[in-house]
Amino acid sequence: LGEYIIQLAGHKPSHIVAPAVHLSQQQIRELFSREAGRELPDEPEALAAFARERLREKFLRADVGISGANFVVAESGTVVLVTNEGNGRMVTSLPRVHIAVMGMERVVPTWEDLGVLLEVLARSATGQKITVYTTFAGGPRRPGEVDGPEEFHLVIVDNGRSNLLGTLFQEALHCIRCGACLNACPVYRQMGGHPYGGVYSGPIGAVITPLLAGFDGWEELPYASSLCGACHEACPVMIPLHDLLVDLREEEVRQGRTGTAERIAFRLWRWIFTDPQRYRVAARLAAWLQRPWLRREPGGPGTEAPATGQGSTEGGGSGDPAVQGASPRASDGLPTLLAGAVLRGGPGPLGAWTAGRDFPPLADRPFHARWAQLQEEGPEGEVPPREPQRGVDEAGPTGEREAARDGA
Ligand code: SF4
């Protein structure tokens, strides 16, 4: 049904499991009304009845039905389709010819393996124990059977999949297309599926599309991730998607696909971060250089009430023009400038990045400087002693632990 809706709309799918999830009920009603040539009521039941009527007519007239395959059981050659609307059953049994198209990684060895995966797929995709329709297509109609196609063809698509075998990226082939990683991904949730550009969106789309189609035209996809790891935690087959995205980025660098400016920027970054002295100087310099782009905005942190002490804004609350988007005054000390401020604008990509996001300013003193001061301040400034850790500190006196370690 979702595919029918997006075909009418001329859209690409925006989700692996729910391809029309980006459209509202009202938009679907308008689409169906245009197709019907009359105004349809707003009730979901009426809209579903219209789609059923249209699709049923097509299924009954079609000579050839083309389906995908969620799984194929190797020990019997059975094609398995899971749906919640029953259209998969129509397309595999009503037309005279059934053509099933499957990626080569859809094969599972036995029916026992299939049982596990059917449960995992339904639970991760839609929160069901099992999908409403699970269709098993075992080939053409046999003598004595009353329905089923007269001809059956199975198309096994490689399309670059076998190139992944034995590589870092082999685990991407374990995907069962449940869509759980999309639902968990903060990037997908923010922008939806269409900006990914391919058939597969979300974290798995960002991994699998460049692997199957190559980097040309898809080189930005591995960067469409915050690498938070939520996709990995949601994935029922534990594909390390965030690791694969990093590996893909590394591969792009290895192939020399990054621009000169980016290469220079990262070399500079490495040069600074591999030397403590250089890092300290750079941190202080950057904290000073960020001044022109510091902004405090209405409703932002530190603008609700007059602040006190170090870091207070003169005049305090949101009625102060200095707080409402104006550049803080150069005469202010850096701690005062930083209180409640965000970076807005800036040179190069920083300007684009901060145009729509709050970017926290660099601290006036880096952590190591604060730490050194805490050490100097004596007992009041010292960090309280840590709690004993089980299995480490409770194992007995230090001498016993060391003796045990030596013995081991
Ligand atoms: S990568 Fe994992 S979570 Fe994402 S669609 Fe595939 S199986 Fe589901």
Side-chain angles (χ1 to χ4, degrees):
L1 178 59
E3 291 289 345
Y4 177 58
I5 294 168
I6 59 170
Q7 279 175 24
L8 289 182
H11 294 175
K12 282 186 173 175
S14 62
H15 191 283
I16 292 176
V17 174
V21 73
H22 59 285
L23 293 173
S24 67
Q25 183 181 323
Q26 178 62 23
Q27 288 171 313
I28 294 168
R29 188 190 73 79
E30 285 166 15
L31 271 174
F32 282 7
S33 296
R34 195 181 68 200
E35 182 68 9
R38 61 189 158 87
E39 276 304 301
L40 292 176
D42 205 17
E43 284 80 44
E45 293 80 6
L47 299 176
F50 168 77
R52 183 179 298 122
E53 184 189 317
R54 280 297 164 101
L55 289 173
R56 190 71 49 98
E57 183 194 323
K58 289 184 194 294
F59 287 133
L60 288 168
R61 279 195 291 115
D63 278 331
V64 176
I66 301 176
S67 76
N70 290 95
F71 302 104
V72 174
V73 185
E75 66 181 358
S76 62
T78 308
V79 171
V80 184
L81 281 169
V82 295
T83 69
N84 276 320
E85 300 130 353
N87 292 330
R89 192 159 293 180
M90 298 276 180
V91 82
T92 55
S93 58
L94 289 178
R96 195 179 60 77
V97 179
H98 172 206
I99 301 173
V101 184
M102 57 170 275
M104 59 179 282
E105 79 280 22
R106 306 280 106 199
V107 179
V108 298
T110 65
W111 284 88
E112 203 177 340
D113 300 316
L114 177 71
V116 175
L117 289 171
L118 282 179
E119 203 178 320
V120 166
L121 175 57
R123 194 172 56 215
S124 303
T126 48
Q128 295 167 287
K129 282 189 173 172
I130 195 153
T131 42
V132 177
Y133 292 90
T134 305
T135 301
F136 303 105
R141 185 191 309 176
R142 297 190 187 93
E145 290 182 340
V146 293
D147 60 9
E150 292 170 21
E151 280 180 38
F152 171 76
H153 302 272
L154 180 63
V155 180
I156 303 175
V157 178
D158 182 322
N159 194 28
R161 288 165 172 80
S162 57
N163 295 338
L164 305 182
L165 295 173
T167 71
L168 276 177
F169 303 108
Q170 176 170 323
E171 283 176 283
L173 297 176
H174 297 171
C175 176
I176 56 173
R177 306 287 192 266
C178 70
C181 57
L182 282 67
N183 303 338
C185 175
V187 176
Y188 177 91
R189 288 158 69 127
Q190 190 69 25
M191 66 181 192
H194 288 144
Y196 290 86
V199 176
Y200 303 120
S201 51
I204 185 61
V207 169
I208 205 81
T209 306
L211 287 176
L212 298 184
F215 282 122
D216 289 342
W218 306 106
E219 53 272 272
E220 290 187 351
L221 278 185
Y223 296 89
S225 170
S226 65
L227 302 179
C228 66
C231 49
H232 175 53
E233 288 198 4
C235 179
V237 291
M238 299 301 287
I239 300 172
L241 291 157
H242 56 311
D243 287 340
L244 296 183
L245 287 167
V246 174
D247 292 335
L248 280 169
R249 294 178 189 186
E250 189 182 334
E251 186 60 31
E252 285 200 47
V253 172
R254 197 174 296 131
Q255 292 185 15
R257 289 176 173 273
T258 45
T260 309
E262 192 179 330
R263 276 203 298 279
I264 292 171
F266 275 103
R267 279 191 189 143
L268 184 63
W269 184 86
R270 185 175 61 187
W271 184 76
I272 292 170
F273 275 68
T274 49
D275 180 275
Q277 196 56 36
R278 287 198 287 261
Y279 170 79
R280 281 180 196 136
V281 172
R284 287 195 179 272
L285 189 63
W288 187 78
L289 286 174
Q290 69 184 334
R291 287 170 175 239
W293 298 290
L294 291 174
R295 294 286 183 279
R296 298 193 200 100
E297 294 172 347
T303 61
E304 292 83 14
T308 57
Q310 189 189 52
S312 66
T313 56
E314 287 183 35
S318 56
D320 185 343
V323 170
Q324 295 199 355
S327 293
R329 282 162 291 197
S331 56
D332 291 338
L334 192 54
T336 304
L337 294 178
L338 293 177
V342 293
L343 277 175
R344 196 69 79 206
L350 186 64
W353 178 264
T354 57
R357 302 172 182 84
D358 288 348
F359 196 94
L362 296 166
D364 60 317
R365 282 185 312 142
F367 172 74
H368 62 81
R370 292 185 187 197
W371 179 254
Q373 186 182 350
L374 283 172
Q375 297 291 314
E376 280 170 18
E377 280 174 359
E380 293 84 37
E382 279 178 6
V383 177
R386 67 185 173 86
E387 295 288 318
Q389 291 178 15
R390 290 187 63 188
V392 178
D393 300 297
E394 291 173 8
T398 309
E400 288 177 24
R401 281 203 306 278
E402 285 175 356
R405 201 182 303 133
D406 290 346

